[in-house]
Amino acid sequence: MTPKKPAKAPSKALAIVTAPVTPTVSDAKASFPIVGIGASAGGLAAFESFFSGMSLDAAPGMAFVLVQHLAPDHKSILSDLIRRYTHMHVFEVEDGMVVQVNCVYIIPPNHDMALLNGTLQLLEPTAPRGQRLPIDFFFSSLAQDQRERAIAVVLSGTGSDGAQGVRAVKAEGGLILAQTPETTEFDGMPRSAIATNMVDFQLAPNEMPAQLQAYATHAFGNGMRAISGPVINNESALKKIFILLRSQTGHDFSNYKPSTIHRRIERRMAVHQIDSFDGYVKYLQQTPTEVEALFGDLLIGVTNFFRDPEAFQVLEEQAIPKLFENKPAGAVVRIWVTACSTGEEAYSIAILLQERMSALKTPYTVQIFATDIDSRAIATARAGLYQASIAADLTPERLARFFTVEPDGSAYRIHKSTRDLMVFSEQDLIKDPPFSKLDLVTCRNLLIYMNLELQKKLVPLFHYALKPGGLLFLGTSEGIGEFDELFAVLDRKSKLYQRKDNFEGMQRVTLSRFLPTLSAPEATTPRSGAIKLPNSGSKTLRELTEQALLQQWAPASVLVNAKGDILYLHGRTGMYLEPSPGEAGINNILKMAREGLRRDLTTTLLQAANRQEAVQCHNLNVKTNGHFTRVNLSVSPVKTGPPAIPQSPETVLYLVVLQEAPEADVTALALAGAANGHEAGTVGLDAESRIAALQLELRSKDEYLQTTHEELESSNEELKSSNEEMQSVNEELQSTNEEMETSREELQSVNEELATVNTELQTKVADLSRANNDMNNLLAGTGIGTVFVDHQLRILRFTPAASQIINLIPSDMGRPVAHIVSNLVGYNSLVADLQSVLNTLVSKTVEVQTQDGRWYTMRIQPYRTLDNVIEGAVITFTDIMELKLAEAALRKSTNDLLRMAVVVRDASDAITVQDLEGRTLAWNPGATRLYGWSEAQALKLNVQDRIPENQREGALARLAQLSRLETLQPYRTQRLSKAGAVLEISIISSALVNESGQMYAIATTERAIEENAA
């Protein structure tokens, strides 16, 4: 019969890979990237495609860890299946296994797996079946352990497992790949990963190895991660990147820490295989989407519910109770959560507040303002919908009380009562106005990314935003720096601070937000008139002159912002301003204005702000110390930046000048006096003058009313705009809800189909597993070494007994027989004999010997299928060692007996053999001649019958020595003959031992000693 080729051969030839040297733990962390691959339903086909797309020309230089949803009560055969598609070593993970380069590791069933210091640790799963998220768990540990060398790949599967882990890997600067949904059997997991906006590449599985190889070569093969020097030297390119980011996103990152910025830029350069910063700048200019991608990388926020549990415990036990102290029922509690990312931290604080209010059984009004500059993160926070993996961060009680599970069980939605406490908004903490009158401000893990200059601006800003006694909650790696005068420490470890009352500090933060700092040339370059006098400190002649003139001639003036907050006072302003009653804080000129000045000052300041030009108001009667003073009021805008750059209204300041009015004509005096005649005690004015005064007052009130009306209209417009935005958000949410309902119905249908398919597959797998077990037990039970090979002489399967003969290990399956190191002695024609059998279909039998001396009958015969098709060959090894040993022993014993019989028969000395009890076993002719007993008679005797009475004790002692296998020298003794004569003889005794080294008989050679004549 002509051999028929197999119907389907493996897609790629498998190459020999030398077993890698086991690395140390530090090597595992520092020398190569580790790729975590997560999959669920449909993952096997994706794995096959992934490894089939890997080049066989060179080792990948990475390690691969496969995490799949496996049945906990079913043994996984994934390791055996993966070996068919890769030349790398494939291992099912054992606890504590060190990750080695160019190897594949597969999670065992019913385990969670984590990476610690380059070793794989197995843990018993704690979550109930159906709620386990092994991919998220492994990805998170991979990110923490390997940082920028972590790579996460999400393949086919249902659900959302892997989405949270992707965030952790991206936050540490790792690479994220997801399978394109179009190429998956089930697209739930890839779509969930893509929805995080963290995925760098969406590829088909067979395209991923090439991308991984290019990224690893660029990022780790040429020192790309250690280019801090070139970054600093190329400061110009870095500034250009900041400009491009600011122009497209509106946010300035120039004050962020260089290390953070450099690491993020390096990662983007590695993703696109760009070597130089100038090249990356050009790429940004040509690709606006890359600017958004870099912006997203710079904003990566690692957050989860109740992150840093110890810090949140301090917040719950120390801070939250303080927020409600001395507050009546219904009082307002205001909280600002800065850099809230996707909202987990803000909702965590809301949960603590609700729990506290429930414990107090008192209603309060809670307002939580959560802000971030990432609009995508704010959108996620507003939706309040989170993946099912948050169950690992929340207690079951909190999960049940504050969340509702989605119908498909894939996510949790924050409860409406908690969502109603939140106000999410997009805000840039650096440039946008802060909230005020707050009870608590949280800013966790944001300051660590900013330089010291920016931190010095933000800490006083938090002081300004807080109420007296308000609390500040920072990240565990952050602090208030040099601002000890602004905050008192409540818990240093958890970074919980309380606001101090510090007027100077508040003034400084207010000025710092509106007054630009001097430029370097202006601060350091001497100008004309900058000659200093002795003993004048640091003041120049010009400064002394200006100061003297201001003190003598300049009127009282006040520098304020658009809201009237006082920034600077000049001159004697006490005639016009007085402190307002109540708590001291930022003083406001509108509240401090004396009687007769407040109304016109409010109107004038508003007009100046709207027109951005100077506005004046003359002859105001201001009540001073018991009398009225006529005052001229002037409000002028003050630009704080360069004239060429337009400024926002928040940065424009206003100079309020209060100057006593000069003497006026009598009519003006009469009108001014009439307006307040009843208070000043003036009488006698005629009715016409009084009417004119009343008309003037009415006109002034009309202007004030008009100003108030304009403010109200402006507020109404803003409220209307906010209402439209809320309606738009509500429509989007309703649309999203309808889409999710549709998706839920589709998913339900898919689940029903999947259940049917799964049942059929489980039945087939069970049958196959049973047949496979029967065959393995049959082959192993025979004790015959068997090796199956295909037409290409590649090993398909072998029994355990065969591994002792030709040095086979499980990873050798798929390798050619010619590559296997043979353990046979004097036989090197195995390949030729196999080929001969396949060509001729004639069996071949050869006796072979292994290096340890064992003999086998090797039989090679064709492998025939049930359809009588030749699919390869079968090699069997039958142990014939016992047969060989029996033949050798028979030959040896035969020769020995022949030689011994001749020696014993012809010996002149008496040779006897006796057992350990003294019975005679052998008696030669020499013994008959010496003692007189025939052989037949002697065999019935005991040795004691031939020993005189007085010699028997010594004979027993010698017998004991022989039993201990001690060597006895020839000795002289006496023996009795058949006739009763006592003979003097010389005896040599030898112990006879068996194969186990135990003595079973004694052989003696006895010779008579002739007495010499006297």
Side-chain angles (χ1 to χ4, degrees):
M1 180 183 294
T2 304
K4 182 179 178 181
K5 298 297 182 182
K8 181 180 180 181
S11 58
K12 289 188 178 291
L14 302 180
I16 297 295
V17 177
T18 305
V21 179
T22 301
T24 62
V25 172
S26 60
D27 291 338
K29 290 188 67 176
S31 58
F32 56 89
I34 297 179
V35 183
I37 307 178
S40 179
L44 181 58
F47 288 147
E48 175 184 352
S49 178
F50 179 89
F51 287 107
S52 298
M54 194 168 292
S55 173
L56 295 177
D57 297 335
M62 292 172 273
F64 301 87
V65 183
L66 275 57
V67 183
Q68 190 180 26
H69 292 182
L70 301 173
D73 53 356
H74 184 74
K75 178 176 174 57
S76 172
I77 59 172
L78 184 58
S79 301
D80 299 327
L81 298 176
I82 296 300
R83 289 190 183 99
R84 302 178 184 178
Y85 310 112
T86 179
H87 63 281
M88 293 182 288
H89 293 272
V90 181
F91 303 97
E92 185 172 89
V93 174
E94 298 178 358
D95 193 28
M97 182 175 284
V98 178
V99 178
Q100 304 177 25
V101 69
N102 301 327
C103 293
V104 180
Y105 300 88
I106 299 175
I107 187 174
N110 201 28
H111 284 90
D112 284 337
M113 184 168 63
L115 192 67
L116 178 65
N117 295 330
T119 63
L120 294 169
Q121 306 293 327
L122 298 179
L123 300 93
E124 293 293 332
T126 56
R129 185 175 179 181
Q131 299 181 16
R132 299 172 185 173
L133 301 170
I135 301 174
D136 275 334
F137 188 77
F138 178 74
F139 280 0
S140 298
S141 70
L142 175 66
Q144 294 171 9
D145 193 71
Q146 297 297 314
R147 299 180 67 82
E148 69 274 4
R149 291 184 181 273
I151 299 175
V153 178
V154 180
L155 300 179
S156 173
T158 59
S160 61
D161 193 10
Q164 291 296 105
V166 160
R167 295 177 184 272
V169 172
K170 192 64 175 291
E172 296 295 341
L175 184 71
I176 310 297
L177 287 82
Q179 185 175 355
T180 51
E182 296 77 15
T183 63
T184 63
E185 294 184 31
F186 301 93
D187 60 0
M189 282 173 44
R191 287 193 185 278
S192 296
I194 293 169
T196 64
N197 296 311
M198 302 291 178
V199 174
D200 296 297
F201 295 102
Q202 299 179 40
L203 300 170
N206 61 338
E207 299 172 355
M208 291 180 176
Q211 184 62 54
L212 287 175
Q213 190 68 55
Y215 172 79
T217 301
H218 187 86
F220 309 113
N222 57 4
M224 191 65 185
R225 292 293 181 189
I227 59 173
S228 57
V231 172
I232 296 174
N233 294 336
N234 200 352
E235 197 69 28
S236 176
L238 199 59
K239 290 180 179 179
K240 291 181 176 65
I241 294 176
F242 291 149
I243 292 173
L244 292 172
L245 281 169
R246 186 178 62 187
S247 63
Q248 185 163 333
T249 67
H251 300 292
D252 185 6
F253 289 91
S254 60
N255 286 324
Y256 280 59
K257 286 187 177 178
S259 58
T260 301
I261 300 297
H262 296 167
R263 188 166 64 249
R264 302 301 188 194
I265 294 176
E266 290 165 13
R267 205 192 76 84
R268 296 304 306 173
M269 292 171 62
V271 166
H272 297 290
Q273 286 88 56
I274 299 175
D275 294 322
S276 67
F277 276 83
D278 291 332
Y280 187 62
V281 171
K282 293 180 181 178
Y283 185 73
L284 286 173
Q285 291 175 308
Q286 299 169 359
T287 316
T289 55
E290 176 60 19
V291 178
E292 294 293 337
L294 177 60
F295 177 65
D297 271 20
L298 295 174
L299 294 183
I300 293 172
V302 184
T303 183
N304 53 272
F305 286 93
F306 296 97
R307 186 184 181 196
D308 299 329
E310 294 181 357
F312 266 92
Q313 184 176 359
V314 173
L315 183 70
E316 179 181 5
E317 296 175 355
Q318 298 186 30
I320 299 298
K322 285 182 177 293
L323 301 182
F324 297 96
E325 284 182 356
N326 303 321
K327 284 185 181 290
V332 178
V333 177
R334 292 165 57 87
I335 296 172
W336 182 19
V337 181
T338 64
C340 68
S341 188
T342 49
E344 286 90 334
E345 180 180 316
Y347 285 123
S348 299
I349 295 175
I351 289 172
L352 295 180
L353 291 171
Q354 287 187 295
E355 290 177 342
R356 182 62 181 175
M357 287 189 291
S358 297
L360 295 175
K361 298 180 180 180
T362 304
Y364 294 91
T365 301
V366 174
Q367 297 176 345
I368 301 178
F369 306 98
T371 63
D372 199 280
I373 64 174
D374 189 352
S375 59
R376 296 173 301 181
I378 289 295
T380 301
R382 282 175 177 158
L385 185 65
Y386 297 96
Q387 304 292 345
S389 57
I390 66 171
D393 304 321
L394 294 159
T395 63
E397 294 78 11
R398 284 173 173 166
L399 198 63
R401 178 180 175 185
F402 299 102
F403 294 85
T404 56
V405 64
E406 292 297 284
D408 59 358
S410 64
Y412 289 94
R413 188 180 296 277
I414 197 75
H415 198 273
K416 185 178 184 300
S417 61
T418 306
R419 177 63 182 87
D420 289 343
L421 305 179
M422 315 299 299
V423 177
F424 291 100
S425 63
E426 186 177 348
Q427 183 198 44
D428 190 339
L429 187 62
I430 301 174
K431 66 178 183 180
D432 293 335
F435 295 92
S436 60
K437 298 181 181 179
L438 300 167
D439 296 281
L440 171 66
V441 173
T442 71
C443 182
R444 294 173 50 75
N445 304 310
L446 174 64
L447 298 180
I448 57 176
Y449 298 111
M450 299 178 174
N451 61 21
L452 188 59
E453 179 182 352
L454 196 53
Q455 292 180 24
K456 289 181 178 180
K457 293 182 179 180
L458 291 183
V459 174
L461 174 68
F462 296 148
H463 184 275
Y464 167 77
L466 286 167
K467 288 181 178 179
L471 303 178
L472 176 64
F473 188 37
L474 300 180
T476 54
S477 300
E478 299 169 335
I480 59 174
E482 62 187 31
F483 297 99
D484 295 334
E485 76 279 4
L486 299 182
F487 291 96
V489 179
L490 291 184
D491 190 290
R492 189 171 300 278
K493 182 179 179 182
S494 299
K495 303 304 173 66
L496 183 62
Y497 304 92
Q498 187 170 26
R499 179 188 186 275
K500 292 181 181 179
D501 290 335
N502 185 293
F503 179 76
E504 293 181 0
M506 290 186 291
Q507 294 288 62
R508 181 167 63 250
V509 65
T510 306
L511 287 171
S512 66
R513 288 187 61 79
F514 298 106
L515 295 180
T517 56
L518 291 175
S519 61
E522 189 177 9
T524 59
T525 305
R527 295 176 294 179
S528 60
I531 303 174
K532 297 181 181 179
L533 293 178
N535 303 323
S536 64
S538 59
K539 297 180 179 179
T540 64
L541 289 173
R542 176 178 175 178
E543 291 171 343
L544 290 174
T545 303
E546 291 175 348
Q547 181 177 357
L549 289 172
L550 288 172
Q551 291 176 352
Q552 294 295 326
W553 303 105
S557 55
V558 185
L559 187 66
V560 299
N561 60 16
K563 296 180 180 180
D565 295 333
I566 297 176
L567 307 178
Y568 187 78
L569 295 169
H570 174 76
R572 302 181 61 183
T573 59
M575 292 179 60
Y576 317 109
L577 306 176
E578 63 179 354
S580 58
E583 295 182 358
I586 295 294
N587 292 319
N588 191 283
I589 192 172
L590 302 179
K591 295 180 180 180
M592 295 178 63
R594 288 179 180 268
E595 183 179 347
L597 176 63
R598 180 175 304 173
R599 184 188 61 205
D600 296 286
L601 177 59
T602 303
T603 304
T604 306
L605 179 59
L606 182 61
Q607 292 176 351
N610 292 336
R611 303 174 187 174
Q612 288 298 305
E613 61 183 19
V615 180
Q616 297 179 353
C617 189
H618 299 285
N619 294 323
L620 301 180
N621 282 340
V622 180
K623 185 177 181 180
T624 54
N625 299 325
H627 63 279
F628 284 84
T629 302
R630 288 176 297 126
V631 177
N632 289 337
L633 169 66
S634 174
V635 180
S636 304
V638 177
K639 300 289 185 179
T640 59
I645 300 178
Q647 293 182 272
S648 62
E650 292 83 359
T651 60
V652 179
L653 304 182
Y654 301 90
L655 184 64
V656 179
V657 179
L658 299 167
Q659 190 173 14
E660 188 173 352
E663 291 295 332
D665 57 80
V666 176
T667 303
L669 285 173
L671 292 174
N676 297 287
H678 61 284
E679 297 178 358
T682 60
V683 292
L685 295 177
D686 55 13
E688 185 177 355
S689 299
R690 188 170 184 81
I691 290 173
L694 290 174
Q695 288 176 345
L696 179 63
E697 183 178 0
L698 181 60
R699 189 181 304 112
S700 176
K701 289 185 177 182
D702 286 342
E703 293 177 356
Y704 181 79
L705 182 61
Q706 179 65 25
T707 301
T708 305
H709 181 67
E710 291 175 357
E711 292 180 353
L712 181 60
E713 287 182 347
S714 177
S715 299
N716 288 337
E717 289 292 332
E718 293 176 357
L719 289 174
K720 184 178 179 181
S721 176
S722 299
N723 185 47
E724 292 174 352
E725 291 178 1
M726 293 297 294
Q727 288 180 350
S728 176
V729 171
N730 185 47
E731 291 173 357
E732 292 176 1
L733 288 175
Q734 186 174 358
S735 175
T736 302
N737 186 45
E738 293 173 356
E739 293 175 0
M740 291 181 64
E741 183 65 18
T742 303
S743 299
R744 186 188 68 81
E745 295 173 356
E746 294 175 355
L747 184 60
Q748 180 66 27
S749 176
V750 171
N751 283 340
E752 293 173 356
E753 296 173 1
L754 182 61
T756 302
V757 174
N758 187 50
T759 302
E760 296 175 357
L761 290 178
Q762 287 292 341
T763 303
K764 293 181 180 179
V765 168
D767 294 340
L768 179 60
S769 178
R770 188 179 301 108
N772 191 46
N773 291 334
D774 293 342
M775 184 180 66
N776 286 336
N777 282 282
L778 174 63
L779 293 175
T782 60
I784 298 176
T786 306
V787 181
F788 299 89
V789 299
D790 60 11
H791 276 291
Q792 285 75 35
L793 304 186
R794 292 180 298 201
I795 297 174
L796 300 177
R797 184 189 294 271
F798 59 89
T799 61
S803 62
Q804 303 173 4
I805 301 172
I806 54 175
N807 292 338
L808 291 173
I809 58 177
S811 60
D812 288 331
M813 286 190 292
R815 297 172 61 186
V817 173
H819 292 178
I820 305 300
V821 178
S822 176
N823 196 25
L824 303 178
V825 178
Y827 179 75
N828 54 9
S829 59
L830 177 60
V831 175
D833 290 343
L834 280 169
Q835 196 64 54
S836 174
V837 170
L838 289 175
N839 293 334
T840 64
L841 302 182
V842 177
S843 301
K844 186 175 184 65
T845 303
V846 182
E847 288 188 358
V848 294
Q849 184 182 21
T850 60
Q851 293 180 356
D852 59 0
R854 299 193 66 83
W855 284 86
Y856 296 87
T857 296
M858 183 183 71
R859 181 176 177 83
I860 306 175
Q861 57 187 8
Y863 180 96
R864 300 177 185 272
T865 66
L866 295 177
D867 299 327
N868 200 28
V869 176
I870 304 301
E871 293 279 358
V874 183
I875 310 170
T876 59
F877 295 88
T878 305
D879 192 347
I880 58 173
M881 190 63 192
E882 292 183 0
L883 178 61
K884 288 290 185 179
L885 291 176
E887 290 177 355
L890 180 60
R891 287 194 299 269
K892 183 176 182 301
S893 61
T894 301
N895 295 333
D896 291 344
L897 288 175
L898 291 174
R899 288 193 295 269
M900 184 61 68
V902 174
V903 172
V904 172
R905 184 190 65 218
D906 297 338
S908 58
D909 296 334
I911 298 176
T912 67
V913 178
Q914 60 195 38
D915 61 15
L916 299 182
E917 296 180 357
R919 292 188 293 268
T920 302
L921 302 177
W923 190 268
N924 75 333
T928 301
R929 290 192 296 270
L930 180 60
Y931 295 111
W933 284 291
S934 65
E935 182 179 2
Q937 295 172 337
L939 293 178
K940 300 178 181 180
L941 296 177
N942 191 289
V943 69
Q944 294 185 5
D945 297 335
R946 300 188 296 108
I947 300 175
E949 188 72 26
N950 59 352
Q951 297 289 329
R952 290 180 180 176
E953 185 175 353
L956 292 176
R958 293 186 181 92
L959 179 61
Q961 286 181 293
L962 283 174
S963 67
R964 295 191 298 269
L965 302 180
E966 296 182 4
T967 303
L968 298 181
Q969 299 296 327
Y971 60 93
R972 182 172 178 172
T973 185
Q974 294 179 341
R975 289 290 184 267
L976 298 176
S977 67
K978 183 178 179 181
V982 178
L983 304 178
E984 296 289 336
I985 62 175
S986 174
I987 295 180
I988 299 175
S989 298
S990 302
L992 301 181
V993 296
N994 56 20
E995 293 179 352
S996 60
Q998 296 179 345
M999 185 177 72
Y1000 67 91
I1002 300 173
T1004 63
T1005 303
E1006 305 173 5
R1007 178 180 297 174
I1009 300 175
E1010 298 181 358
E1011 296 291 341
N1012 294 329

